[in-house]
C-alpha cells in the first residue's frame, strides 16, 4: 500500500548508516511531516511515531512539540505523561517554537507537570519574548513591567511587540507617545496609529478584540490628525 511504501521510505531515511552525515533541517522536516501523516493511519501509526521521535531526538522543534502535545493530551499514540510533555515542550521552546512557549506558560499557570508558580510564568514569558514572540512581549509589558520598572524599559518592550505586528501594542504605544507630546514622539505615534489602522480585521485568525483595536486606531488617528493639522505650517 502507499502508506506502507511511505513508512518504508521513512525508515530508510532514518537509518543513516555508520559514518553517514547527520540529517539536515530539511530532512528532519520531511521525516516529521511524513511521520505525522502516518500516525493518523492505524496500520502505520507505530512507524509514524518512530519517525517523529527520531526527528525530535535530533532536535527538530516541530517534532518535539508534537510529542509534547501527545504526552499532554494522551489522545494520540502516546499515553498521557505530564513530565514527558514538559520535557518535550521545553526542548521545542529552546529551539524557538512559539507554540511550545505558550504551552509551557499554560502548564505553569495551571500546575500541569510542575507546581503553579507565577514567577515561573514570568520567566517563561521572558524566554518566549527573547525568541521574538509578540504576545509574550506584550504580556511582559502588561504583567511584569510593574510600577518599579523604568518607563523607558516598558516603552521599549511595547515597541518590540509593536514592531512584530502586535496590534494592541501598536495602539498602546501610540497612546503613550501622544501623551508625551514631544514632536518626534508625536510623529512616531502617528506612524503606529496608521500601521495599526491598516490591520485586516477580516484576516484568518483575527478576533473581535483585533477588530476593536483596529477600529480604535482608526478613530484615534482621525482625531489626532484633526487636532494636529492646525499646528502644521502651510507651505506658501
Amino acid at each position: 500500500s502507499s502508506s506502507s511504501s511511505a513508512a518504508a521510505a521513512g525508515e530508510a531515511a532514518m537509518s543513516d548508516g555508520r559514518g553517514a552525515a547527520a540529517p539536515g533541517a530539511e530532512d528532519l522536516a520531511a521525516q516529521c511531516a511524513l511521520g505525522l501523516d502516518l500516525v493518523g493511519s492505524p496500520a502505520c501509526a507505530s512507524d509514524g511515531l518512530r519517525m517523529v521521535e527520531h526527528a525530535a531526538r535530533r532536535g527538530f522543534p516541530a517534532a518535539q512539540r508534537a510529542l509534547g502535545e501527545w504526552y499532554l493530551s494522551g489522545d494520540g499514540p502516546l499515553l498521557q505523561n505530564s513530565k514527558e510533555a514538559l520535557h518535550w515542550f521545553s526542548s521545542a521552546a529552546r529551539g524557538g517554537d512559539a507554540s511550545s512557549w505558550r504551552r509551557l506558560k499554560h502548564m505553569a499557570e495551571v500546575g500541569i507537570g510542575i507546581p503553579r508558580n507565577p514567577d515561573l510564568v514570568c520567566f517563561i514569558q521572558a524566554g518566549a519574548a527573547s525568541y521574538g514572540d509578540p504576545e509574550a512581549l506584550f504580556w511582559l509589558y502588561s504583567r511584569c513591567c510593574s510600577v518599579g520598572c523604568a518607563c523607558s524599559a516598558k516603552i521599549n518592550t511595547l515597541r518590540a511587540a509593536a514592531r512584530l505586528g502586535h496590534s494592541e501594542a501598536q495602539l498602546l504605544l501610540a497612546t503613550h507617545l501622544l501623551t508625551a507630546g514631544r514632536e518626534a514622539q508625536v510623529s512616531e505615534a502617528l506612524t503606529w496609529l496608521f500601521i495599526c489602522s491598516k490591520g485586516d480585521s477580516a484576516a484568518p485568525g483575527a478576533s473581535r478584540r483585533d477588530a476593536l483595536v483596529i477600529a480604535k486606531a482608526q478613530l484615534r488617528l482621525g482625531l489626532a490628525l484633526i487636532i494636529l493639522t492646525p499646528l502644521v505650517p502651510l507651505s506658501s
Side-chain angles (χ1 to χ4, degrees), residues 104-105 108-109 117-126 139 144:
L104 288 173
K105 171 179 173 284
E109 286 176 331
N117 188 332
D119 291 335
L120 180 58
V121 171
C122 193
F123 176 79
I124 289 170
Q125 289 294 76
W139 188 96
C144 295

Side-chain angles (χ1 to χ4, degrees), residues 41-56:
S41 173
C44 300
S46 59
D47 293 327
L49 176 58
R50 281 198 299 273
M51 294 171 68
V52 175
E53 287 177 330
H54 178 266

